[in-house]
Amino acid sequence: MHVLITGGTGFIGRELCTGLLRDSHQVTVLTRELDAAAERLPEGAEAIDDLARTESVDAVVNLAGANLGGQRWNRVSKLGFRSSRIDTTRRLVDWMSELAVKPKVLISGSAIGWYGPRGDEKLTEVDHPGGDYSALLCQDWEAEALRAEALGVRVCQLRTGIVLGGQGPAGGGALAQMLPAFKLGGGGPMGSGQQWMSWVHRADLIALIRFLIERDSAQGPFNGTAPEPVRNGEFAKTLGRVLHRPAILPMPGFMLKLIVGEMAEILLTGQRVIPQAALDAGFVFRFPNLEAALCDVLG
């Protein structure tokens, strides 16, 4: 199978590439920085900077998108968030429209921000979207991907939560930003600590992507989260326990807003998201429990 991946040098994409190559699949990564990609991608992955260089693929996995937590939100950064997601997805679908033989499936990234802040409400793929900035961004992003259905391409929208991955060169993600404070004993809940955190082990997310590629009946939105979301306070307590460190120093909401600005609203509200579509399709999570996931990630 030949798989084209955008975002292939990222926290999720690199590990996806590695797993596909290990199983003897052909992997092509679309990137704007060929030299950097050559250093970050596993041996055997081909990096291209022009879709015209690839004319036949079986599956497309669209993981491109600037990190929402990588910079303070302002007018310029928000334009970058949209371009990196929506414009990239639009170019992919336009390219597919020109192919004589279309890919069988498009797995296109999205996020649980699609649902907006919803308190204690249990959210599954059948629930309505939110109306805040992140929700509207995700809706526009998914709409671009869904254009591929008119071409006869099966489309799955992967609404990803907080992804927990390893340390070291292959590490990163939200956990990497949390660890320094927690290792020093300065970690704790954010704001009230009552907001829900919908998390997923990176290995499960990658396995879900591959499951969706291979399962011909899979179509539509899939929540990329573990089946057991936890409140932020419980997350902090569990992370502290795994690290054998106290986790009792809260981060007041007003301070978080001063540090990260508008993005604090996402961190302080959260969503209680259940991966019902994946469970109904028969996908089995290796790490449904947070403590087991953190123990695996942190060794």
Side-chain angles (χ1 to χ4, degrees), residues 104-134:
K104 295 181 176 66
V105 60
L106 166 63
I107 311 298
S108 195
S110 183
I112 60 173
W114 191 89
Y115 299 102
R118 306 282 278 275
D120 290 340
E121 183 182 355
K122 283 188 176 181
L123 301 167
T124 71
E125 292 84 354
V126 301
D127 284 294
H128 64 81
D132 63 339
Y133 168 75
S134 296

Side-chain angles (χ1 to χ4, degrees), residues 232-245:
N232 175 259
E234 181 62 26
F235 186 98
K237 181 180 177 181
T238 305
L239 179 54
R241 185 166 61 246
V242 170
L243 293 171
H244 306 291
R245 295 288 190 275

Side-chain angles (χ1 to χ4, degrees), residues 189-238:
M190 293 182 289
S192 69
Q194 292 302 299
Q195 70 273 30
W196 288 92
M197 293 181 68
S198 297
W199 59 275
V200 66
H201 193 299
R202 179 171 57 177
D204 275 335
L205 184 64
I206 290 169
L208 178 58
I209 292 171
R210 297 191 59 174
F211 177 89
L212 296 177
I213 290 174
E214 297 163 5
R215 184 64 60 98
D216 291 340
S217 59
Q219 190 164 0
F222 286 81
N223 292 330
T225 61
E228 300 176 15
V230 299
R231 294 188 187 273
N232 175 259
E234 181 62 26
F235 186 98
K237 181 180 177 181
T238 305

Side-chain angles (χ1 to χ4, degrees), residues 129-140:
D132 63 339
Y133 168 75
S134 296
L136 295 174
L137 175 62
C138 289
Q139 290 166 57
D140 290 346

Side-chain angles (χ1 to χ4, degrees), residues 16-299:
L16 175 61
C17 290
T18 298
L20 288 168
L21 289 166
R22 186 187 302 123
D23 292 338
S24 301
H25 297 295
Q26 182 182 353
V27 174
T28 300
V29 173
L30 178 67
T31 178
R32 292 176 299 177
E33 301 178 356
L34 291 176
D35 291 340
E39 295 179 1
R40 295 171 65 86
L41 290 174
E43 183 178 356
E46 179 188 9
I48 62 171
D49 59 2
D50 186 349
L51 284 168
R53 293 180 55 190
T54 297
E55 296 183 355
S56 177
V57 299
D58 300 296
V60 177
V61 181
N62 180 27
L63 301 176
N67 179 9
L68 294 183
Q71 56 187 307
R72 197 175 183 87
W73 292 10
N74 55 40
R75 185 182 64 83
V76 174
S77 63
K78 285 182 175 181
L79 288 173
F81 297 151
R82 288 188 63 85
S83 177
S84 64
R85 289 163 170 75
I86 296 168
D87 293 351
T88 298
T89 306
R90 182 179 298 131
R91 286 195 296 271
L92 277 174
V93 177
D94 288 347
W95 164 73
M96 291 180 200
S97 71
E98 298 173 356
L99 296 175
V101 178
K102 316 298 185 193
K104 295 181 176 66
V105 60
L106 166 63
I107 311 298
S108 195
S110 183
I112 60 173
W114 191 89
Y115 299 102
R118 306 282 278 275
D120 290 340
E121 183 182 355
K122 283 188 176 181
L123 301 167
T124 71
E125 292 84 354
V126 301
D127 284 294
H128 64 81
D132 63 339
Y133 168 75
S134 296
L136 295 174
L137 175 62
C138 289
Q139 290 166 57
D140 290 346
W141 193 8
E142 292 189 14
E144 285 297 332
L146 287 171
R147 292 195 302 120
E149 289 185 332
L151 306 176
V153 177
R154 178 169 60 88
V155 178
C156 298
Q157 308 103 276
L158 186 66
R159 296 173 183 164
T160 304
I162 298 167
V163 185
L164 306 180
Q167 304 179 78
L175 190 59
Q177 298 175 338
M178 302 177 198
L179 283 177
F182 275 85
K183 286 183 175 180
L184 292 172
M190 293 182 289
S192 69
Q194 292 302 299
Q195 70 273 30
W196 288 92
M197 293 181 68
S198 297
W199 59 275
V200 66
H201 193 299
R202 179 171 57 177
D204 275 335
L205 184 64
I206 290 169
L208 178 58
I209 292 171
R210 297 191 59 174
F211 177 89
L212 296 177
I213 290 174
E214 297 163 5
R215 184 64 60 98
D216 291 340
S217 59
Q219 190 164 0
F222 286 81
N223 292 330
T225 61
E228 300 176 15
V230 299
R231 294 188 187 273
N232 175 259
E234 181 62 26
F235 186 98
K237 181 180 177 181
T238 305
L239 179 54
R241 185 166 61 246
V242 170
L243 293 171
H244 306 291
R245 295 288 190 275
I248 57 175
L249 295 178
M251 170 70 76
F254 76 89
M255 188 176 296
L256 192 62
K257 291 177 182 178
L258 288 174
I259 295 171
V260 302
E262 187 179 343
M263 188 188 173
E265 294 302 322
I266 294 178
L267 302 175
L268 294 171
T269 55
Q271 296 97 5
R272 189 182 185 183
V273 178
I274 308 299
Q276 196 61 54
L279 295 172
D280 289 347
F283 180 77
V284 177
F285 288 83
R286 285 178 57 200
F287 299 99
N289 173 268
L290 176 63
E291 186 160 355
L294 288 173
C295 286
D296 180 76
V297 165
L298 299 173

